[in-house]
Amino acid sequence: MARPTTQVEGVYERVIGSGVWHARYRQDGKLVRKSFGRNRAAAIAYVEKARTLKRAGEGWVPSTAKASPKTKTEMELAVSTVTISELCDDLLRHIQSKPNQYKDQRNPPFRVNLIRKQFGERPAKTIRPFEIVDWLDSLDKAPATLNRYKATFSALYRYGKERDKVQMNPVRDVSQQQVNNGVIRYLRPDEEKRLRTALQNAVDSCGPQNELRKKHLMHRIYELDIALGTGMRKGEQYGLRWRDIDFRTKIITLRDTKNKSSRTVPMIEDVVAAFRELKRLELERKNRAIDRPNNSPDDIVFGIGDNKRWWKAVLKEARIKDLRWHDLRHTFCSRLAQAGVSLKVIQEAAGHKTIGMSARYAHLDHTTLQNAMAVLNRKK
């Protein structure tokens, strides 16, 4: 006759007599349950270890069955062996699994892999703040760009802490780069004239035998028209779908912006015309390679996803220096300010979160300033 099984608190068969054992305990108000198959001894060891660590107040007892209880020594040993490369893998998987949260699936992975290239095989706990500073300085990038690299580096450790793989974040001791936002770069009228001439010359020089090439060149002109006429951020513009364009009401709906909210953008006639011409072109995004398929929605508005290459080339041809695509957004706001449009209207048009962001363009509003200063004229 088989000896009766001694009951152990927290160890049980969900189906009595099945021989399949489970363990459970409560941590942080949550009931943690884990299956051990027919290994009852492992289930007992699991529960007793969790109970002992909770009672002693040392080590770590997880509130999820995905991890196992660890003593202080086990935690130190685990942390000491985690490399930067492992943290990179974890964060990349996290980013790629949440495309709605991380809309930019290109730049963060690029920065992560650059960090991996420099520090990959190093244990994460050995990285010192001064090493991060030296590496950032070696990149020879603009302050705003360096801050983005720093933020990505910090995200590696922050996500690693959430997964109990590291206990510290050396990036927190690295100072933020000072960004000079005093001078706003915008497209001057003479520069726009040269830019449009270069774009149109490319269209005119394209012979009738290459109709597809001509369509792509015309596409660039409409991209510029829409950027200057709406002030949309680059990601907002190139993520547009035809369902977002209402030709009847002349309204663009931006569904998930940088500020985590939707907003609408009115369309002026130049923008309406540009969208209609884009629709006639019927260009579609193509696969980059066999192993890199195009994952864009079928109703995506723009036939390209990134304009960096042609934009750089046309700026060189038009002899324009230090102008980013984002500066077209500055141009949109600057031209409104120069026309005497109120800061509140600029805030609404550009989708700025605060009016303080729009106030950067206030000094360009010469008309309103001159009218205000007119009260100082001597009475005649």
Side-chain angles (χ1 to χ4, degrees), residues 163-186:
R163 298 173 65 83
D164 297 304
K165 290 194 172 183
V166 292
Q167 296 176 322
M168 35 69 81
N169 182 355
V171 191
R172 295 182 63 179
D173 294 326
V174 177
S175 299
Q176 192 84 345
Q177 295 281 331
Q178 292 296 318
V179 179
N180 181 13
N181 290 322
V183 179
I184 297 174
R185 176 67 165 105
Y186 59 90

Side-chain angles (χ1 to χ4, degrees), residues 151-345:
T152 302
F153 213 144
S154 186
L156 290 176
Y157 279 92
R158 188 168 60 252
Y159 188 63
K161 287 182 71 175
E162 291 176 7
R163 298 173 65 83
D164 297 304
K165 290 194 172 183
V166 292
Q167 296 176 322
M168 35 69 81
N169 182 355
V171 191
R172 295 182 63 179
D173 294 326
V174 177
S175 299
Q176 192 84 345
Q177 295 281 331
Q178 292 296 318
V179 179
N180 181 13
N181 290 322
V183 179
I184 297 174
R185 176 67 165 105
Y186 59 90
L187 184 66
R188 301 192 307 269
D190 61 301
E191 291 177 323
E192 183 178 355
K193 185 177 180 180
R194 296 202 305 272
L195 184 61
R196 290 190 178 279
T197 298
L199 289 170
Q200 190 60 51
N201 286 343
V203 174
D204 295 340
S205 63
C206 190
Q209 71 279 5
N210 199 342
E211 190 63 26
L212 182 59
R213 168 68 175 165
K214 188 173 184 178
K215 284 185 176 183
H216 279 93
L217 294 172
M218 293 170 65
H219 189 285
R220 298 173 182 179
I221 297 176
Y222 306 137
E223 293 172 60
L224 178 65
D225 290 341
I226 291 167
L228 288 173
T230 64
M232 286 187 289
R233 299 177 180 89
K234 185 176 180 180
E236 294 172 343
Q237 178 172 340
Y238 288 95
L240 280 176
R241 300 168 67 173
W242 284 116
R243 66 176 187 178
D244 303 323
I245 314 298
D246 191 327
F247 288 106
R248 183 180 60 83
T249 61
K250 297 181 180 178
I251 292 292
I252 302 169
T253 300
L254 302 178
R255 301 180 185 276
D256 191 6
T257 68
K258 179 182 178 182
N259 295 329
K260 307 301 181 184
S261 60
S262 298
R263 69 182 177 95
T264 57
V265 179
M267 291 191 287
I268 60 176
E269 292 301 326
D270 287 349
V271 172
V272 172
F275 275 122
R276 291 194 185 281
E277 292 301 321
L278 276 176
K279 206 167 185 63
R280 291 192 187 98
L281 291 180
E282 296 183 329
L283 292 177
E284 297 180 350
R285 295 185 187 179
K286 303 296 183 183
N287 296 337
R288 289 188 176 183
I290 295 177
D291 59 339
R292 299 178 68 187
N294 167 41
N295 296 318
S296 301
D298 293 336
D299 63 339
I300 201 77
V301 171
F302 292 91
I304 64 169
D306 190 0
N307 62 7
K308 188 176 294 184
R309 182 175 296 179
W310 77 256
W311 178 245
K312 183 178 180 180
V314 77
L315 287 179
K316 182 177 180 180
E317 185 175 347
R319 305 185 311 282
I320 299 174
K321 295 182 179 180
D322 302 322
L323 186 77
R324 305 163 303 163
W325 186 265
H326 187 75
D327 292 324
L328 300 181
R329 177 170 164 82
H330 291 317
T331 304
F332 169 82
C333 296
S334 300
R335 289 178 178 178
L336 290 178
Q338 289 166 350
V341 174
S342 72
L343 292 181
K344 185 60 180 175
V345 171

